[in-house]
Amino acid sequence: VLETDYIRASLSLGSKGLTHARLGSGEMGLIDANIPFDTIELDAYKVDKFCIMNVEPLPGIYVPRLIERFWLLGVAEKSTKGFLACRFVFSSEVRAQDVHDILIDAFLGDWKPMSYISVKDLNYPPGSGMMGYILPEIRNMLWSTVSLDNAMAHHANKVKEKLRQNLGFSINYGQLGHPERRWLIENTFK
């Protein structure tokens, strides 16, 4: 059945099969991340929440700000499933500059743990951190493809032309309504 009717065979697997049936025909695709740094995935997770944050506009001066929405952006390397970069964005929407900045962070790999954590008994587990911190040899490594969804910030000229030309990667925007192609980053934010 699998060789003659892939969709019917996939649907026999239930909800997991429904995902496979929508994604293709059972034939191996042209893009397959099977070596490290072949493909990275970027996505943003929106958090709608009322909270107050103390912002430090000048050293030693703290001003409370009401935050209604913030975003967590992440960049994951598909083959190793490790994270290259993450950042918070405190605005109503993610901008092209935010996408640009996190991709540069992922390339540079210069993340370091915070030297001071104000939450009592909260520590980084031994051996944890972004990939560039754990494995300094991978800093400044380039990837072949960046998998993105179709968010407006991803289509900005700063991302799809300037950054792509300067770092030399291709962009795979993926099919509308099918986040399954970026399964690693999409499942991270669930």
Side-chain angles (χ1 to χ4, degrees), residues 9-19:
S10 296
L11 290 174
S12 71
L13 298 173
S15 63
K16 185 176 180 183
L18 181 61
T19 298

mmCIF file of all heavy atoms in Angstrom, residues 9-19:
data_model
loop_
_atom_site.group_PDB
_atom_site.id
_atom_site.type_symbol
_atom_site.label_atom_id
_atom_site.label_comp_id
_atom_site.label_asym_id
_atom_site.label_seq_id
_atom_site.Cartn_x
_atom_site.Cartn_y
_atom_site.Cartn_z
ATOM 1 N N ALA A 9 -1.845 5.186 2.891
ATOM 2 C CA ALA A 9 -0.999 4.511 3.879
ATOM 3 C C ALA A 9 -0.704 5.433 5.057
ATOM 4 O O ALA A 9 -0.734 5.014 6.212
ATOM 5 C CB ALA A 9 0.295 4.037 3.231
ATOM 6 N N SER A 10 -0.437 6.699 4.768
ATOM 7 C CA SER A 10 -0.143 7.667 5.830
ATOM 8 C C SER A 10 -1.348 7.891 6.725
ATOM 9 O O SER A 10 -1.225 7.968 7.948
ATOM 10 C CB SER A 10 0.293 9.002 5.239
ATOM 11 O OG SER A 10 1.491 8.860 4.543
ATOM 12 N N LEU A 11 -2.509 7.995 6.127
ATOM 13 C CA LEU A 11 -3.715 8.246 6.908
ATOM 14 C C LEU A 11 -4.036 7.091 7.846
ATOM 15 O O LEU A 11 -4.708 7.284 8.861
ATOM 16 C CB LEU A 11 -4.894 8.538 5.984
ATOM 17 C CG LEU A 11 -4.815 9.878 5.241
ATOM 18 C CD1 LEU A 11 -5.949 10.005 4.245
ATOM 19 C CD2 LEU A 11 -4.821 11.041 6.212
ATOM 20 N N SER A 12 -3.556 5.902 7.559
ATOM 21 C CA SER A 12 -3.793 4.762 8.451
ATOM 22 C C SER A 12 -3.053 4.907 9.777
ATOM 23 O O SER A 12 -3.316 4.181 10.721
ATOM 24 C CB SER A 12 -3.381 3.456 7.756
ATOM 25 O OG SER A 12 -1.969 3.395 7.648
ATOM 26 N N LEU A 13 -2.119 5.869 9.865
ATOM 27 C CA LEU A 13 -1.368 6.093 11.098
ATOM 28 C C LEU A 13 -2.064 7.053 12.058
ATOM 29 O O LEU A 13 -1.507 7.417 13.082
ATOM 30 C CB LEU A 13 0.029 6.634 10.773
ATOM 31 C CG LEU A 13 0.925 5.718 9.946
ATOM 32 C CD1 LEU A 13 2.199 6.453 9.555
ATOM 33 C CD2 LEU A 13 1.247 4.456 10.723
ATOM 34 N N GLY A 14 -3.245 7.514 11.726
ATOM 35 C CA GLY A 14 -3.967 8.437 12.600
ATOM 36 C C GLY A 14 -3.501 9.867 12.419
ATOM 37 O O GLY A 14 -3.160 10.294 11.321
ATOM 38 N N SER A 15 -3.459 10.632 13.530
ATOM 39 C CA SER A 15 -3.125 12.059 13.435
ATOM 40 C C SER A 15 -1.699 12.274 12.938
ATOM 41 O O SER A 15 -1.419 13.218 12.205
ATOM 42 C CB SER A 15 -3.333 12.750 14.779
ATOM 43 O OG SER A 15 -2.452 12.207 15.740
ATOM 44 N N LYS A 16 -0.780 11.405 13.336
ATOM 45 C CA LYS A 16 0.599 11.526 12.840
ATOM 46 C C LYS A 16 0.634 11.292 11.328
ATOM 47 O O LYS A 16 1.338 11.958 10.591
ATOM 48 C CB LYS A 16 1.507 10.537 13.560
ATOM 49 C CG LYS A 16 2.958 10.675 13.190
ATOM 50 C CD LYS A 16 3.824 9.739 13.991
ATOM 51 C CE LYS A 16 5.269 9.906 13.584
ATOM 52 N NZ LYS A 16 6.147 8.983 14.282
ATOM 53 N N GLY A 17 -0.137 10.349 10.869
ATOM 54 C CA GLY A 17 -0.201 10.064 9.439
ATOM 55 C C GLY A 17 -0.820 11.195 8.650
ATOM 56 O O GLY A 17 -0.449 11.454 7.505
ATOM 57 N N LEU A 18 -1.781 11.897 9.252
ATOM 58 C CA LEU A 18 -2.395 13.043 8.585
ATOM 59 C C LEU A 18 -1.345 14.095 8.258
ATOM 60 O O LEU A 18 -1.342 14.678 7.180
ATOM 61 C CB LEU A 18 -3.499 13.634 9.466
ATOM 62 C CG LEU A 18 -4.268 14.821 8.899
ATOM 63 C CD1 LEU A 18 -4.979 14.422 7.612
ATOM 64 C CD2 LEU A 18 -5.268 15.332 9.911
ATOM 65 N N THR A 19 -0.425 14.311 9.179
ATOM 66 C CA THR A 19 0.672 15.246 8.931
ATOM 67 C C THR A 19 1.511 14.782 7.751
ATOM 68 O O THR A 19 1.832 15.553 6.863
ATOM 69 C CB THR A 19 1.571 15.369 10.184
ATOM 70 O OG1 THR A 19 0.789 15.888 11.239
ATOM 71 C CG2 THR A 19 2.748 16.283 9.922
#
